[in-house]
Amino acid sequence: MRFLLVSDVHKSYRFYKGYDESVAVEWLLEIIDNTEPQILISAGDWDEGMTSEDFGRIISKVKLLTIYGNHENFPIIKNYAMPNGKVFEFGGLKIAGINGLIGENSIKGIPVTTQTQFMNAVYRIKNSVSKLDILITHQPPYIPDIYPKMRVDDYNELVFEAVEELKPRLFFNGHVTAGCYSYYQFPSGTKYLRVDSSQIYRCYGLLESEENKVTVYRDDEEMFSLTF
């Protein structure tokens, strides 16, 4: 089974660093048509420009598994987001996600996931499966090896510790702006991947479940691959 991995699609009606973000969904639909995945996985940040019609066009072509980030049309995205810690299975892969950024208080009306809610989701996953294949969050882990400018805090350390506890085969997150993609291997052996699907980078991953392989592309150009 083929999975398309995206994050930080950022559909809005602004030009960001000279790039027109209003075309984000059209770009994604073209990628879906060209790659023909069965499942679309998103690590959030669809942004405020997303409409029900946009999501309708997407799910008419592919099954959607998404979490939300901190840049969303929240009344819309909450109709499509995965429940925290619920495990789905497709193509023999067990997949779970945890929504939002971690925090204790909402910022400017943006929902957050508290540390207690985050750990409850982790326990829900542990109680559901003996081995998780893919974990998706928007909150990044603390990995100074690949994100040297990241400031350590309780939240990104908590994500790192949760990954080490759950030991998924692949951990996929968004939020960080650090080029087309980032890769890391956790001490536990978990493979880490982030892709930036904004109009600045237009990057995405194609996961082939039969091969346990993810290939990262920037538009049509192959950039990187990993097995997990």
Side-chain angles (χ1 to χ4, degrees):
M1 182 172 282
R2 176 171 292 172
F3 298 73
L4 175 61
L5 278 59
V6 299
S7 187
D8 299 83
V9 169
H10 284 297
K11 183 200 171 184
S12 72
Y13 295 100
R14 60 180 177 260
F15 280 79
Y16 182 70
K17 295 185 177 181
Y19 293 88
D20 182 4
E21 294 187 329
S22 69
V23 302
V25 171
E26 299 303 327
W27 169 79
L28 178 58
L29 291 170
E30 182 177 352
I31 296 299
I32 292 170
D33 286 341
N34 291 342
T35 59
E36 299 182 334
Q38 286 77 50
I39 309 291
L40 170 61
I41 292 177
S42 170
D45 270 8
W46 292 92
D47 222 318
E48 296 175 356
M50 291 296 293
T51 65
S52 296
E53 290 73 20
D54 289 328
F55 281 112
R57 294 172 70 194
I58 291 167
I59 64 177
S60 71
K61 294 176 178 288
V62 66
K63 170 71 177 178
L64 176 63
L65 290 179
T66 187
I67 57 172
Y68 60 75
N70 57 309
H71 294 285
E72 307 286 3
N73 183 342
F74 284 102
I76 300 297
I77 187 63
K78 286 189 173 183
N79 295 319
Y80 300 95
M82 304 162 65
N84 284 341
K86 181 176 180 179
V87 178
F88 296 81
E89 184 169 355
F90 294 97
L93 299 178
K94 297 179 177 64
I95 305 163
I98 305 175
N99 289 284
L101 293 180
I102 304 173
E104 295 308 314
N105 298 292
S106 62
I107 302 171
K108 296 181 180 179
I110 298 172
V112 296
T113 297
T114 66
Q115 294 184 71
T116 298
Q117 290 170 331
F118 183 87
M119 289 310 301
N120 285 342
V122 170
Y123 297 143
R124 182 180 185 185
I125 295 168
K126 288 187 70 174
N127 291 332
S128 298
V129 291
S130 59
K131 183 63 176 177
L132 185 69
D133 294 298
I134 302 175
L135 175 64
I136 312 157
T137 72
H138 192 67
Q139 177 78 45
Y142 181 61
I143 312 178
D145 291 356
I146 56 174
Y147 302 129
K149 295 183 179 180
M150 178 183 285
R151 292 180 294 180
V152 61
D153 60 35
D154 292 343
Y155 307 141
N156 51 37
E157 282 193 323
L158 182 64
V159 175
F160 190 99
E161 293 166 2
V163 173
E164 287 291 86
E165 183 174 353
L166 289 172
K167 299 179 178 62
R169 293 167 57 204
L170 178 67
F171 174 52
F172 181 55
N173 86 270
H175 188 61
V176 182
T177 301
C180 173
Y181 73 92
S182 300
Y183 169 77
Y184 174 78
Q185 184 167 326
F186 281 79
S188 62
T190 292
K191 303 292 181 69
Y192 168 81
L193 180 66
R194 175 202 59 83
V195 299
D196 189 326
S197 306
S198 70
Q199 289 304 291
I200 297 176
Y201 294 105
R202 297 161 66 103
C203 294
Y204 58 92
L206 284 180
L207 186 159
E208 304 288 352
S209 61
E210 293 82 2
E211 303 173 15
N212 295 320
K213 180 179 180 180
V214 182
T215 304
V216 176
Y217 293 87
R218 185 170 188 173
D219 283 328
D220 297 328
E221 180 183 0
E222 184 175 332
M223 305 294 290
F224 173 76
S225 65
L226 66 92
T227 56
F228 66 98

